Amino acid sequence: QASGRSVFAQGTLDLMEKKCVQGRTVHFDHKNPEFYPTEDRIDCWKIWNLPSLDHEYTIGIDCAEEKAADTEKKRSEPDRHGVIVLDRFTGNVVAQWHGRTSLRQLGEQCLSCARLYNNAWIAPELPHGMLILDILRSQGYDHIYSRTTHDETLIMEDGENLGWRTTTMTRPWMVDGLKQMVRD
């Protein structure tokens, strides 16, 4: 988080940053799961690890809301899309997208990335990720996170609700899970 109150202490973030390594910067060909190098620093992927055949992956998509990144500054630029590819076996972030491209282009990039990463499960955040859901469904991609009704209401019922919705009910689960991953 660039502004506001961070979930993690700055010392923890500094220690984690020391462990970071440079990845390769790429774009995907939206027609297949192949990528090509780029010199771009925005609207592109940073890949640290290619997929292992025996691993499973999850992709979380946070679509930009076109809000100022820093609400305290009048000339602050709008926020950006953020996508993380997580290795479900190791807990490592293996790839990341950061940029302001159109939602259609973002959806196509995420679909190609998901196919490369062993048909990764995708969880676009709603409501801004609705177009991405449409792109995934129109291409027959079915590894989409489906939340149950109790994720939002605390009533234990199954539902066909695709995508992740951050609410006052789900945010504490999400943040506590992330804190546990950082501790581990």
Side-chain angles (χ1 to χ4, degrees):
Q1 183 172 349
S3 63
R5 196 178 62 147
S6 180
V7 171
F8 302 103
Q10 188 59 47
T12 301
L13 297 175
D14 293 341
L15 286 173
M16 292 178 74
E17 186 175 23
K18 288 180 183 177
K19 295 179 182 181
C20 291
V21 296
Q22 279 288 47
R24 61 183 114 181
T25 307
V26 304
H27 287 284
F28 281 97
D29 175 348
H30 75 274
K31 295 182 176 138
N32 57 53
E34 295 177 9
F35 57 85
Y36 55 92
T38 182
E39 296 295 320
D40 294 345
R41 294 290 167 231
I42 190 168
D43 291 334
C44 58
W45 291 94
K46 180 79 71 157
I47 294 182
W48 291 278
N49 298 101
L50 291 172
S52 296
L53 290 177
D54 59 341
H55 286 216
E56 294 178 4
Y57 299 89
T58 301
I59 298 176
I61 306 169
D62 183 6
C63 298
E65 298 178 26
E66 300 299 321
K67 293 180 181 175
D70 185 347
T71 56
E72 301 294 317
K73 296 180 181 174
K74 290 183 179 183
R75 293 185 182 254
S76 178
E77 293 193 22
D79 61 347
R80 297 178 178 165
H81 306 300
V83 181
I84 293 293
V85 182
L86 185 74
D87 183 323
R88 294 178 65 180
F89 289 2
T90 66
N92 291 334
V93 173
V94 296
Q96 168 190 350
W97 169 276
H98 193 231
R100 289 193 187 103
T101 192
S102 73
L103 284 173
R104 176 157 306 285
Q105 290 171 323
L106 179 65
E108 290 168 351
Q109 287 289 308
C110 289
L111 178 59
S112 293
C113 184
R115 287 180 173 152
L116 174 71
Y117 281 92
N118 304 337
N119 291 314
W121 286 94
I122 297 181
E125 186 179 22
L126 302 177
H128 300 286
M130 292 301 293
L131 180 60
I132 292 174
L133 283 177
D134 288 343
I135 290 167
L136 297 172
R137 288 189 296 214
S138 73
Q139 296 298 312
Y141 197 82
D142 60 357
H143 286 187
I144 304 170
Y145 171 77
S146 177
R147 63 192 188 282
T148 55
T149 306
H150 76 273
D151 287 350
E152 296 174 0
T153 63
L154 294 182
I155 298 172
M156 299 300 277
E157 295 176 10
D158 289 334
E160 276 293 315
N161 299 313
L162 298 177
W164 172 265
R165 189 175 298 276
T166 302
T167 66
T168 56
M169 300 289 284
T170 61
R171 188 175 191 284
W173 291 345
M174 179 179 67
V175 171
D176 286 344
L178 182 58
K179 284 180 178 177
Q180 184 64 44
M181 284 180 64
V182 168
R183 277 193 300 269
D184 292 346

